[in-house]
Amino acid sequence: MNDNFELIDGIWYEYDGDTAIVSENIDDDLKDKFIKIPSEVKDSDGYIHRVIKIDFSAFACCEKLEAVEIADSIEEIGKDAFSGCENLKFVKLPNKLSEIAENMFFDCANLQTLVIPDTVKSIGNSAFWNCKNLTDLILPESLEKLGERVFSYCTKLTSLFIPASVNEIHSKSLSLGSSFERLEVDGANVKYFSEGNCIIERNTNKLIAGCKTSVVPSYVTEIGDSAFAMTSELKRIALPQGVVKIGKEAFLKCYNLEEIRIPSSVTQIGEKAFEECNFRRARLICDFAKKPEGWSDDIGVNKKNIVWTVKQGILGRLKSIFK
């Protein structure tokens, strides 16, 4: 092992002058199920080093680990720091942390509760992917950005409140295997608002995120990319007249979706918008005579499951008018 590395109380540190970084750790080296990351450590020569960071993948796949307490002096935790710690239940994060990094708690299946410090401004991609026992999470008032797949497969996390400070929500932030029943945005948020358990952009009336209980408001003009993707418990949803566009993968892998009607206002549908939905028994009912030019050639639905409700030809048009 390089002289700059040292094992202290079962934790590996890397020294750089008077500072130290928590380095990559191996499960077998951990002495206890509970570890505490201190604000400083004393090396074998008696020198004191300030602990300033937990490096990327530092505790990745440490299955022995169940609880972690991190000193408030630590301001940075790298991506994948605790990914794959399948028995991790409790983490006390430092109160100067500015980011929940990408994959930080990826596949931490037993993580139950977590307090995010009110200094955190962003939550990275897949930060809580498959944290299936996470039941409660309060997003801090400091938060500005949510990455993609943040809450995928958090199957016990049923509600989320978006603070006023959030100004960027990735198109896949709240979909892809999430189980939300309630989505709400602080009324003071200048970019987003919520209605009918939908999150909507103020300036465009674009629905960017929905859930299994969503009721699409009548003024929505666009269903965003991946807005309902992999919402497996969604069975039916009504799209109001006035929706002009359905984004790509908007209803991707909504396995239990039984029926959806496409109003005549929809001029654009993106690729794989309905890919792998349950259209073996159900139907895509379209208020058109044929596929509009603005629809992708691959919306993810077999032609035999599409019903065109408007009859073609002069006789058909006359019937539609008098109807």
Side-chain angles (χ1 to χ4, degrees):
M1 179 64 71
N2 190 297
D3 290 340
N4 289 334
F5 291 84
E6 190 169 18
L7 184 65
I8 301 176
D9 295 329
I11 301 173
W12 282 103
Y13 294 93
E14 179 183 3
Y15 301 136
D16 183 11
D18 63 351
T19 63
I21 294 173
V22 179
S23 186
E24 185 176 358
N25 283 263
I26 302 171
D27 200 29
D28 291 342
D29 289 333
L30 298 178
K31 291 184 176 181
D32 303 299
K33 296 178 179 179
F34 167 79
I35 63 170
K36 184 173 182 178
I37 310 296
S39 59
E40 57 183 35
V41 290
K42 181 186 291 187
D43 66 24
S44 55
D45 295 322
Y47 291 103
I48 303 294
H49 303 264
R50 292 182 298 109
V51 182
I52 60 171
K53 177 183 176 181
I54 297 175
D55 209 358
F56 67 91
S57 302
F59 295 98
C61 299
C62 287
E63 297 179 6
K64 186 187 301 180
L65 197 58
E66 293 185 9
V68 181
E69 182 178 340
I70 304 170
D72 287 335
S73 59
I74 295 171
E75 300 182 12
E76 184 179 352
I77 302 175
K79 65 181 183 180
D80 287 284
F82 299 98
S83 65
C85 293
E86 61 181 37
N87 292 305
L88 184 64
K89 297 176 182 177
F90 170 81
V91 179
K92 192 272 181 186
L93 293 171
N95 61 18
K96 294 182 180 179
L97 195 65
S98 63
E99 176 188 23
I100 303 295
E102 180 178 340
N103 297 334
M104 186 182 288
F105 298 105
F106 183 95
D107 209 16
C108 291
N110 281 294
L111 186 66
Q112 296 173 2
T113 60
L114 187 73
V115 177
I116 300 178
D118 58 10
T119 52
V120 168
K121 293 185 177 182
S122 68
I123 299 178
N125 299 345
S126 303
F128 298 104
W129 192 92
N130 199 38
C131 291
K132 58 187 179 182
N133 279 297
L134 187 64
T135 57
D136 186 34
L137 191 69
I138 297 175
L139 301 181
E141 293 296 333
S142 57
L143 187 66
E144 297 176 359
K145 177 182 177 181
L146 282 169
E148 61 179 299
R149 302 182 305 274
V150 171
F151 303 109
S152 294
Y153 304 105
C154 293
T155 52
K156 291 187 179 180
L157 191 63
T158 58
S159 65
L160 194 69
F161 183 81
I162 306 295
S165 54
V166 173
N167 56 46
E168 183 179 345
I169 300 176
H170 191 278
S171 63
K172 296 179 181 179
S173 285
L174 308 182
S175 58
L176 303 185
S178 60
S179 295
F180 291 119
E181 298 175 3
R182 182 182 178 190
L183 295 173
E184 188 176 355
V185 179
D186 191 310
N189 191 298
V190 298
K191 185 166 183 180
Y192 305 106
F193 69 99
S194 57
E195 184 178 341
N197 288 319
C198 304
I199 296 179
I200 302 163
E201 280 186 342
R202 288 190 182 277
N203 292 340
T204 62
N205 284 339
K206 175 182 176 180
L207 190 156
I208 64 163
C211 63
K212 62 183 179 182
T213 60
S214 290
V215 177
V216 182
S218 60
Y219 48 80
V220 166
T221 58
E222 181 178 347
I223 308 297
D225 295 350
S226 306
F228 291 91
M230 295 177 67
T231 304
S232 60
E233 295 181 52
L234 183 69
K235 292 185 177 181
R236 289 176 179 266
I237 191 161
L239 301 182
Q241 183 73 26
V243 171
V244 174
K245 180 179 179 181
I246 299 173
K248 64 182 181 181
E249 301 182 357
F251 295 92
L252 173 75
K253 296 184 180 180
C254 289
Y255 296 118
N256 289 303
L257 187 63
E258 297 173 351
E259 182 178 289
I260 187 167
R261 192 177 197 107
I262 309 300
S264 59
S265 56
V266 176
T267 58
Q268 298 179 63
I269 298 181
E271 291 183 355
K272 303 185 187 303
F274 303 99
E275 182 87 2
E276 294 188 51
C277 289
N278 182 26
F279 289 119
R280 288 172 297 181
R281 298 188 301 273
R283 300 175 302 171
L284 189 70
I285 302 174
C286 305
D287 290 341
F288 292 88
K290 60 181 181 179
K291 183 178 81 68
E293 291 183 2
W295 291 18
S296 169
D297 290 331
D298 181 20
I299 64 173
V301 182
N302 193 302
K303 290 182 179 179
K304 68 180 182 180
N305 296 110
I306 300 177
V307 177
W308 306 104
T309 64
V310 178
K311 301 297 182 182
Q312 298 188 56
I314 295 175
L315 182 60
R317 289 197 293 273
L318 286 172
K319 286 183 177 179
S320 298
I321 290 170
F322 287 106
K323 182 180 178 181

